Amino acid sequence: METTSQIEQLWPIAAFFIILVIMLIGMLLLSYVLGPKTKSRAKHTPYESGVISVDDNRTRFTNHFFLYAIFFVIFDLETIFLFAWVIAFDEVGWAGFIEACIFITILLAALVYLWRIGALELKKRHEPSRSRRAS
C-alpha cells in the first residue's frame, strides 16, 4: 500500500522530467536542422559582450562591471525575502512587520552607504590598455 502511495506522489515529478528531456532534445534537433549552415572565418571567431577577441585587442575591463552585478544580485535576493514576508503577512503579525521594517532600514542604509562612497557611479569607461600606458 505504501509503495503505491509513493509512486502516486512521484509520478508528476517523473513525468515533468521526462517531458523536459523530450523538449530539450526536440529543441536541439530543431536548431540543428533549421539553423544556418554557413562556414566563414567570422563564425569561428570568439565574440563575447560586444568584444571580438583577437590577439591585437588588449581591452581591459575595470571592476565596476563586477560591482554592478554583485549589487544587483544582493538587492534582488533581498526583494525575494520581502516577497516571502508579504506572502506570510497574516501569520507573522506585528512582529513580522517590525522585522521587515528593520530589514528595509538596513537595506536603505547599505544603499545610502554605497551611494556616498561613489560605488554606484561609473567612474571610468573601459579603454584599451595601450592608451592607459601612453598617458
Side-chain angles (χ1 to χ4, degrees):
M1 277 292 189
E2 191 173 312
T3 309
T4 307
S5 173
Q6 289 177 350
I7 292 174
E8 288 176 2
Q9 291 176 355
L10 292 178
W11 80 263
I13 296 172
F16 172 77
F17 282 111
I18 291 170
I19 292 171
L20 182 73
V21 168
I22 290 170
M23 286 178 60
L24 178 66
I25 291 170
M27 284 189 263
L28 287 172
L29 288 175
L30 271 174
S31 70
Y32 179 75
V33 170
L34 299 177
K37 306 283 190 279
T38 59
K39 293 192 185 229
S40 67
R41 181 176 169 204
K43 184 173 183 179
H44 299 290
T45 303
Y47 181 82
E48 185 173 339
S49 303
V51 178
I52 296 175
S53 177
V54 227
D55 292 336
D56 295 337
N57 188 1
R58 302 217 184 267
T59 303
R60 299 199 185 248
F61 294 97
T62 57
N63 62 354
H64 65 271
F65 292 107
F66 174 72
L67 289 175
Y68 284 137
I70 292 297
F71 295 153
F72 173 76
V73 168
I74 289 170
F75 286 104
D76 193 41
L77 286 174
E78 291 160 351
T79 305
I80 293 171
F81 289 136
L82 287 174
F83 182 72
W85 171 76
V86 168
I87 290 176
F89 181 74
D90 291 336
E91 289 85 17
V92 295
W94 281 104
F97 178 74
I98 292 170
E99 289 174 5
C101 287
I102 293 170
F103 183 70
I104 292 171
T105 304
I106 293 171
L107 280 181
L108 287 174
L111 186 59
V112 168
Y113 173 74
L114 291 173
W115 181 36
R116 296 280 309 257
I117 66 169
L120 301 176
E121 295 176 12
L122 187 59
K123 295 180 182 177
K124 291 190 222 173
R125 296 192 180 271
H126 57 277
E127 54 190 31
S129 60
R130 286 176 278 194
S131 66
R132 279 195 207 145
R133 281 189 220 138
S135 359

